[in-house]
Amino acid sequence: MIFLSGEFIERTGRRERRRASDLRIAEFLRGRVAEAKTVEEETLLGFVRRNRGLAARFGITSEQGVARFCLVQVVYGGAAERDPGVASYLMRPDGDPEKDIRRLVDTLARLSAPDGGA
């Protein structure tokens, strides 16, 4: 008889939920970033996983927040966390990281609009 501990089952469930979330974020990126459409799934999932860890350092843990952080990483060539402006904005003591990443993505979208956000 095989015995599976509750801890093992919970860990497995968390891992499966995380992978499902990573797949949804990858799809989100494929829908918004032309280059993501041609990247192999495991490569894109690796990008998502790395950025999930980086986002967590800023207090961004929701799936939507991580997806937005991934978009910011694309805009900044994978180095948004090293940009002093981005880092200081996301680490403000009075800030809300989830709201701040949304505002940052909205601002970047306006600035990249054909009219330059005017």
Side-chain angles (χ1 to χ4, degrees), residues 12 27 48 65-66 70 92 94 106-107 116:
T12 302
E27 263 320 293
V48 170
V66 172
C70 287
R92 294 176 301 129
D94 62 338
D106 291 347
T107 299

Side-chain angles (χ1 to χ4, degrees), residues 15-91:
R15 194 170 34 246
E16 288 172 359
R17 286 188 302 275
R18 176 67 49 91
R19 179 157 173 85
S21 175
D22 290 348
L23 285 167
R24 286 189 298 271
I25 293 170
E27 263 320 293
F28 170 83
L29 292 172
R30 287 189 197 280
R32 285 157 183 81
V33 179
E35 295 84 4
K37 293 175 183 170
T38 61
V39 173
E40 290 191 28
E41 183 173 280
E42 285 308 312
T43 301
L44 188 55
L45 289 172
F47 175 80
V48 170
R49 283 191 295 273
R50 279 189 305 281
N51 285 295
R52 182 184 293 280
L54 288 171
R57 293 182 194 169
F58 292 107
I60 301 165
T61 57
S62 73
E63 184 174 314
Q64 296 86 358
V66 172
R68 290 179 181 113
F69 187 81
C70 287
L71 277 177
V72 171
Q73 283 288 73
V74 169
V75 171
Y76 279 84
E81 79 284 359
R82 292 191 299 269
D83 183 277
V86 172
S88 65
Y89 179 67
L90 293 176
M91 294 174 50

